[in-house]
Amino acid sequence: MLTILSVTLPIFILIGVGYAGVRFGLLSKADSQVVGRFVLYFGFPALIYNALSRRQIGEIFDTPFLLAYLFGSLAVFAFGLFLALGPLRRRLPTAAVVPLGMALPNSGFVAYSILLQMFPDEAGVFLALALLVENVIMIPFFTAIAESTGGKDARFVAIFGNALRGLVRSPMIWGIVFGLAGSLLQLQLPVPVQRSVDMLAGAAGAGALIAIGGALFGLKLTGLGPTLLAIAAGKLLVHPALVFLFTLVFPPTNPHNFAAAMIIAASPMFSIYPIFGQRYGAGELSAAALLLTTILSFFTLTATIALVGPL
């Protein structure tokens, strides 16, 4: 147990440092947002590039991992949408915020920091594969459902296509593109450039966790009702359970892939979830869900690592 806690405790200590920094005035909320943007625009693209460009292309794409994570995420999204439209009695577009919180983990800020400690040579590859699923399929899928309230297929397809075209503005997608190109062409950057990329990549993990902590300050656990509890349970329990079921359908090529998929799925939802919630009329709910799920994830992630982590 001490070995497992040595993995999870540093993550939440750094989140606590970010929270305390804003709480005691050492940082402002705006400062933590700047740190988060630095990680998103510079740190993660650099580490993704390093992780992919240094591997053979055949070592990157693990089809069972991609399929298990994709179908597990789609399944929990469908489950959450059913709950939101049915028992929870919410209407679109607000209803779509419920399954989004269940299906999109914080794969970059939380899961990557854990995987980096467990599988340092493979963590960046797992992050890149998860980001492909989340950015190319899950977020456009959510956007299309949330905004096509008329229910017309043509409108759904058009919105989904627009969301995909928006990927050209994602720095992490460009990190994946350049990383794959580097792998295919076996490129080697000039030494000064590569050292700069390494420095940016090395700053990503700690900066991401500090940014999460700062973002959590000011959030409140309001409305502790069925919807909030359903989102938390769906994210921390149902999502990893469904990913596990699909790993039985698509057996991973090695145990590390299985452990990585489970840890990513068991992570709390992505840190900009309240922004999506506010856009679709569920700002307070999504903020409270982010806070509650992040707190509870210490226990669920520790349990998940105990079950699947080769420590």
Side-chain angles (χ1 to χ4, degrees), residues 112-146:
Y112 170 76
S113 298
I114 293 174
L115 295 176
L116 185 63
Q117 296 178 75
M118 297 176 64
F119 316 118
D121 295 333
E122 302 165 284
V125 174
F126 293 138
L127 172 61
L129 294 177
L131 289 174
L132 275 176
V133 170
E134 294 159 12
N135 287 274
V136 176
I137 298 176
M138 298 306 301
I139 291 179
F141 186 67
F142 156 78
T143 304
I145 288 180

Short mmCIF file of all heavy atoms in Angstrom, two decimals, residues 112-146:
data_model
loop_
_atom_site.label_atom_id
_atom_site.label_comp_id
_atom_site.label_asym_id
_atom_site.label_seq_id
_atom_site.Cartn_x
_atom_site.Cartn_y
_atom_site.Cartn_z
N TYR A 112 -1.76 11.23 -16.83
CA TYR A 112 -0.38 11.23 -17.32
C TYR A 112 0.62 11.29 -16.18
O TYR A 112 1.65 10.61 -16.20
CB TYR A 112 -0.14 12.38 -18.29
CG TYR A 112 1.32 12.55 -18.63
CD1 TYR A 112 1.93 11.67 -19.52
CD2 TYR A 112 2.09 13.55 -18.04
CE1 TYR A 112 3.27 11.80 -19.82
CE2 TYR A 112 3.43 13.67 -18.33
CZ TYR A 112 4.02 12.79 -19.23
OH TYR A 112 5.37 12.90 -19.50
N SER A 113 0.33 12.10 -15.16
CA SER A 113 1.27 12.22 -14.04
C SER A 113 1.43 10.90 -13.29
O SER A 113 2.52 10.59 -12.79
CB SER A 113 0.77 13.30 -13.07
OG SER A 113 0.71 14.56 -13.71
N ILE A 114 0.38 10.11 -13.23
CA ILE A 114 0.47 8.78 -12.62
C ILE A 114 1.22 7.82 -13.53
O ILE A 114 2.12 7.09 -13.10
CB ILE A 114 -0.93 8.25 -12.29
CG1 ILE A 114 -1.57 9.10 -11.18
CG2 ILE A 114 -0.89 6.78 -11.87
CD1 ILE A 114 -3.01 8.74 -10.88
N LEU A 115 0.85 7.81 -14.80
CA LEU A 115 1.49 6.90 -15.76
C LEU A 115 2.98 7.19 -15.89
O LEU A 115 3.78 6.28 -16.11
CB LEU A 115 0.80 7.00 -17.12
CG LEU A 115 -0.66 6.55 -17.16
CD1 LEU A 115 -1.26 6.81 -18.54
CD2 LEU A 115 -0.79 5.08 -16.79
N LEU A 116 3.36 8.45 -15.77
CA LEU A 116 4.77 8.82 -15.88
C LEU A 116 5.58 8.16 -14.77
O LEU A 116 6.74 7.79 -14.98
CB LEU A 116 4.92 10.34 -15.81
CG LEU A 116 6.33 10.90 -16.02
CD1 LEU A 116 6.84 10.56 -17.42
CD2 LEU A 116 6.33 12.41 -15.81
N GLN A 117 4.98 8.00 -13.60
CA GLN A 117 5.69 7.35 -12.50
C GLN A 117 5.71 5.83 -12.67
O GLN A 117 6.67 5.16 -12.27
CB GLN A 117 5.00 7.68 -11.17
CG GLN A 117 5.05 9.16 -10.82
CD GLN A 117 4.32 9.43 -9.53
OE1 GLN A 117 4.82 9.13 -8.44
NE2 GLN A 117 3.13 10.00 -9.63
N MET A 118 4.67 5.28 -13.27
CA MET A 118 4.56 3.83 -13.39
C MET A 118 5.26 3.31 -14.64
O MET A 118 5.96 2.29 -14.59
CB MET A 118 3.09 3.43 -13.41
CG MET A 118 2.33 3.75 -12.13
SD MET A 118 0.58 3.35 -12.23
CE MET A 118 0.64 1.56 -12.44
N PHE A 119 5.05 3.99 -15.77
CA PHE A 119 5.60 3.55 -17.05
C PHE A 119 6.27 4.74 -17.75
O PHE A 119 5.74 5.27 -18.73
CB PHE A 119 4.49 2.98 -17.95
CG PHE A 119 3.53 2.07 -17.25
CD1 PHE A 119 2.19 2.39 -17.17
CD2 PHE A 119 3.97 0.89 -16.66
CE1 PHE A 119 1.29 1.56 -16.52
CE2 PHE A 119 3.08 0.05 -16.01
CZ PHE A 119 1.74 0.38 -15.94
N PRO A 120 7.40 5.20 -17.25
CA PRO A 120 7.99 6.44 -17.77
C PRO A 120 8.31 6.40 -19.26
O PRO A 120 8.26 7.43 -19.93
CB PRO A 120 9.27 6.59 -16.93
CG PRO A 120 9.53 5.25 -16.35
CD PRO A 120 8.20 4.61 -16.17
N ASP A 121 8.63 5.22 -19.80
CA ASP A 121 8.98 5.13 -21.22
C ASP A 121 7.76 5.12 -22.13
O ASP A 121 7.88 5.35 -23.34
CB ASP A 121 9.82 3.88 -21.48
CG ASP A 121 11.17 3.94 -20.78
OD1 ASP A 121 11.66 5.06 -20.56
OD2 ASP A 121 11.71 2.87 -20.44
N GLU A 122 6.59 4.80 -21.58
CA GLU A 122 5.39 4.63 -22.41
C GLU A 122 4.30 5.65 -22.11
O GLU A 122 3.32 5.74 -22.85
CB GLU A 122 4.81 3.22 -22.20
CG GLU A 122 5.79 2.10 -22.51
CD GLU A 122 5.31 0.77 -21.94
OE1 GLU A 122 5.42 0.57 -20.72
OE2 GLU A 122 4.81 -0.05 -22.74
N ALA A 123 4.45 6.42 -21.04
CA ALA A 123 3.37 7.32 -20.61
C ALA A 123 2.96 8.29 -21.70
O ALA A 123 1.76 8.54 -21.91
CB ALA A 123 3.80 8.08 -19.35
N GLY A 124 3.92 8.86 -22.42
CA GLY A 124 3.59 9.82 -23.46
C GLY A 124 2.81 9.20 -24.60
O GLY A 124 1.92 9.83 -25.18
N VAL A 125 3.10 7.94 -24.93
CA VAL A 125 2.35 7.24 -25.98
C VAL A 125 0.92 7.00 -25.54
O VAL A 125 -0.03 7.22 -26.30
CB VAL A 125 3.04 5.91 -26.34
CG1 VAL A 125 2.18 5.11 -27.33
CG2 VAL A 125 4.41 6.15 -26.92
N PHE A 126 0.73 6.54 -24.30
CA PHE A 126 -0.62 6.34 -23.79
C PHE A 126 -1.40 7.65 -23.79
O PHE A 126 -2.60 7.67 -24.13
CB PHE A 126 -0.58 5.77 -22.36
CG PHE A 126 -0.01 4.38 -22.28
CD1 PHE A 126 0.87 4.03 -21.27
CD2 PHE A 126 -0.37 3.42 -23.21
CE1 PHE A 126 1.38 2.75 -21.18
CE2 PHE A 126 0.14 2.13 -23.13
CZ PHE A 126 1.02 1.79 -22.12
N LEU A 127 -0.75 8.74 -23.42
CA LEU A 127 -1.41 10.04 -23.44
C LEU A 127 -1.84 10.41 -24.85
O LEU A 127 -2.98 10.86 -25.07
CB LEU A 127 -0.48 11.11 -22.87
CG LEU A 127 -0.96 12.56 -23.00
CD1 LEU A 127 -2.26 12.78 -22.24
CD2 LEU A 127 0.11 13.54 -22.51
N ALA A 128 -0.96 10.23 -25.82
CA ALA A 128 -1.29 10.58 -27.20
C ALA A 128 -2.48 9.77 -27.72
O ALA A 128 -3.37 10.32 -28.37
CB ALA A 128 -0.06 10.36 -28.09
N LEU A 129 -2.50 8.47 -27.42
CA LEU A 129 -3.61 7.62 -27.89
C LEU A 129 -4.93 8.04 -27.24
O LEU A 129 -5.96 8.09 -27.90
CB LEU A 129 -3.30 6.15 -27.59
CG LEU A 129 -2.11 5.55 -28.34
CD1 LEU A 129 -1.87 4.11 -27.90
CD2 LEU A 129 -2.34 5.60 -29.85
N ALA A 130 -4.88 8.34 -25.93
CA ALA A 130 -6.09 8.78 -25.25
C ALA A 130 -6.58 10.11 -25.82
O ALA A 130 -7.79 10.31 -26.03
CB ALA A 130 -5.84 8.90 -23.75
N LEU A 131 -5.66 11.02 -26.09
CA LEU A 131 -6.05 12.33 -26.63
C LEU A 131 -6.67 12.19 -28.02
O LEU A 131 -7.57 12.96 -28.39
CB LEU A 131 -4.83 13.24 -26.69
CG LEU A 131 -4.32 13.75 -25.34
CD1 LEU A 131 -3.03 14.54 -25.53
CD2 LEU A 131 -5.36 14.62 -24.65
N LEU A 132 -6.19 11.24 -28.81
CA LEU A 132 -6.79 11.00 -30.12
C LEU A 132 -8.27 10.63 -29.97
O LEU A 132 -9.13 11.18 -30.66
CB LEU A 132 -6.05 9.89 -30.85
CG LEU A 132 -4.80 10.28 -31.64
CD1 LEU A 132 -4.13 9.05 -32.23
CD2 LEU A 132 -5.15 11.27 -32.75
N VAL A 133 -8.54 9.69 -29.08
CA VAL A 133 -9.93 9.26 -28.86
C VAL A 133 -10.78 10.43 -28.36
O VAL A 133 -11.89 10.67 -28.87
CB VAL A 133 -9.98 8.09 -27.86
CG1 VAL A 133 -11.42 7.80 -27.44
CG2 VAL A 133 -9.34 6.85 -28.46
N GLU A 134 -10.27 11.17 -27.40
CA GLU A 134 -11.04 12.23 -26.76
C GLU A 134 -11.29 13.40 -27.70
O GLU A 134 -12.40 13.95 -27.76
CB GLU A 134 -10.32 12.70 -25.50
CG GLU A 134 -10.24 11.64 -24.42
CD GLU A 134 -9.15 11.89 -23.40
OE1 GLU A 134 -8.58 12.99 -23.39
OE2 GLU A 134 -8.86 10.95 -22.62
N ASN A 135 -10.27 13.81 -28.44
CA ASN A 135 -10.38 15.01 -29.26
C ASN A 135 -10.97 14.76 -30.64
O ASN A 135 -11.64 15.64 -31.19
CB ASN A 135 -9.00 15.67 -29.41
CG ASN A 135 -8.54 16.36 -28.15
OD1 ASN A 135 -8.86 17.50 -27.88
ND2 ASN A 135 -7.78 15.65 -27.34
N VAL A 136 -10.71 13.59 -31.19
CA VAL A 136 -11.19 13.31 -32.55
C VAL A 136 -12.60 12.74 -32.54
O VAL A 136 -13.36 12.93 -33.50
CB VAL A 136 -10.22 12.35 -33.27
CG1 VAL A 136 -10.74 11.96 -34.64
CG2 VAL A 136 -8.85 13.01 -33.40
N ILE A 137 -12.99 12.07 -31.46
CA ILE A 137 -14.31 11.42 -31.43
C ILE A 137 -15.19 11.94 -30.31
O ILE A 137 -16.30 12.43 -30.56
CB ILE A 137 -14.15 9.89 -31.31
CG1 ILE A 137 -13.41 9.34 -32.53
CG2 ILE A 137 -15.53 9.23 -31.18
CD1 ILE A 137 -13.12 7.87 -32.48
N MET A 138 -14.73 11.89 -29.07
CA MET A 138 -15.63 12.15 -27.94
C MET A 138 -16.10 13.60 -27.88
O MET A 138 -17.31 13.86 -27.74
CB MET A 138 -14.94 11.75 -26.63
CG MET A 138 -14.60 10.27 -26.52
SD MET A 138 -16.01 9.17 -26.80
CE MET A 138 -17.13 9.70 -25.51
N ILE A 139 -15.20 14.57 -27.95
CA ILE A 139 -15.62 15.97 -27.85
C ILE A 139 -16.48 16.39 -29.04
O ILE A 139 -17.53 17.02 -28.85
CB ILE A 139 -14.40 16.89 -27.65
CG1 ILE A 139 -13.79 16.65 -26.26
CG2 ILE A 139 -14.79 18.35 -27.81
CD1 ILE A 139 -12.56 17.48 -25.96
N PRO A 140 -16.09 16.07 -30.31
CA PRO A 140 -17.00 16.40 -31.41
C PRO A 140 -18.36 15.71 -31.28
O PRO A 140 -19.40 16.30 -31.61
CB PRO A 140 -16.24 15.88 -32.65
CG PRO A 140 -14.80 15.95 -32.24
CD PRO A 140 -14.78 15.57 -30.80
N PHE A 141 -18.37 14.47 -30.78
CA PHE A 141 -19.63 13.73 -30.60
C PHE A 141 -20.52 14.45 -29.58
O PHE A 141 -21.71 14.66 -29.80
CB PHE A 141 -19.31 12.31 -30.14
CG PHE A 141 -20.51 11.41 -30.04
CD1 PHE A 141 -21.20 11.03 -31.17
CD2 PHE A 141 -20.94 10.94 -28.81
CE1 PHE A 141 -22.31 10.20 -31.09
CE2 PHE A 141 -22.04 10.11 -28.71
CZ PHE A 141 -22.73 9.74 -29.86
N PHE A 142 -19.92 14.85 -28.46
CA PHE A 142 -20.67 15.59 -27.44
C PHE A 142 -21.20 16.91 -28.01
O PHE A 142 -22.37 17.26 -27.80
CB PHE A 142 -19.78 15.88 -26.23
CG PHE A 142 -20.22 17.07 -25.43
CD1 PHE A 142 -21.29 16.98 -24.55
CD2 PHE A 142 -19.58 18.31 -25.56
CE1 PHE A 142 -21.72 18.08 -23.83
CE2 PHE A 142 -20.00 19.40 -24.84
CZ PHE A 142 -21.08 19.29 -23.97
N THR A 143 -20.35 17.64 -28.70
CA THR A 143 -20.75 18.94 -29.25
C THR A 143 -21.91 18.79 -30.22
O THR A 143 -22.87 19.58 -30.20
CB THR A 143 -19.56 19.61 -29.96
OG1 THR A 143 -18.47 19.72 -29.04
CG2 THR A 143 -19.93 20.99 -30.47
N ALA A 144 -21.85 17.75 -31.04
CA ALA A 144 -22.92 17.53 -32.02
C ALA A 144 -24.24 17.21 -31.32
O ALA A 144 -25.31 17.71 -31.72
CB ALA A 144 -22.54 16.40 -32.96
N ILE A 145 -24.21 16.41 -30.26
CA ILE A 145 -25.44 16.08 -29.53
C ILE A 145 -25.98 17.31 -28.81
O ILE A 145 -27.17 17.60 -28.82
CB ILE A 145 -25.18 14.93 -28.54
CG1 ILE A 145 -25.01 13.62 -29.31
CG2 ILE A 145 -26.32 14.80 -27.53
CD1 ILE A 145 -24.73 12.43 -28.45
N ALA A 146 -25.08 18.06 -28.15
CA ALA A 146 -25.51 19.21 -27.36
C ALA A 146 -26.13 20.30 -28.23
O ALA A 146 -27.08 20.98 -27.82
CB ALA A 146 -24.34 19.77 -26.58
#
